[in-house]
């Protein structure tokens, strides 16, 4: 596996917390940072895939139709709506 160096500047408070937490986890600061970055990138990739999949089924014209209906007074309120009930 190819490795590279990357200069990282942290706020002193973050650096101290990072040292404390990585020691609690029983790993080096370097390992902790690598795992944290891998987790963040995985979340980002998962979100991108999720929204790309959702976009496939989307219809801009249908979305506009729905938005045009929003707030119409002639539309019945769905049962269990969150409007306040008058006593």
């Amino acid at each position: 596996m190819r490795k590279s160096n990357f200069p990282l500047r942290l706020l002193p408070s973050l650096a101290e917390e990072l040292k404390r937490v990585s020691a609690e986890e029983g790993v080096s600061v370097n390992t902790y940072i690598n795992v944290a970055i891998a987790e963040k990138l995985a979340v980002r990739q998962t979100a991108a895939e999720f929204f790309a999949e959702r976009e496939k089924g989307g219809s801009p014209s249908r979305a506009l139709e729905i938005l045009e209906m929003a707030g119409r007074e002639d539309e019945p309120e769905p049962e269990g709506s969150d409007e306040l009930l008058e006593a």
Side-chain angles (χ1 to χ4, degrees):
M1 171 175 36
R2 190 172 145 219
K3 297 179 182 182
S4 63
N5 291 328
F6 186 84
L8 178 63
R9 293 183 191 99
L10 292 174
L11 294 171
S13 59
L14 287 177
E16 288 304 313
E17 184 69 7
L18 174 60
K19 290 174 190 174
R20 187 187 68 73
V21 171
S22 63
E24 279 181 10
E25 296 283 327
V27 297
S28 69
V29 167
N30 188 59
T31 298
Y32 193 89
I33 291 171
N34 274 278
V35 170
I37 291 171
E39 288 175 356
K40 179 68 174 184
L41 293 174
V43 167
R44 182 182 163 101
Q45 180 63 30
T46 300
E49 290 169 1
F50 171 80
F51 287 113
E53 188 64 31
R54 296 286 295 165
E55 182 181 35
K56 288 180 187 174
S59 165
S61 60
R62 179 65 181 134
L64 290 173
E65 287 174 26
I66 293 168
L67 288 173
E68 286 175 10
M69 291 187 305
R72 285 190 185 165
E73 302 241 350
D74 59 338
E75 295 291 321
E77 286 293 321
E79 190 172 319
S81 73
D82 60 356
E83 284 189 19
L84 293 175
L85 300 176
E86 292 183 26

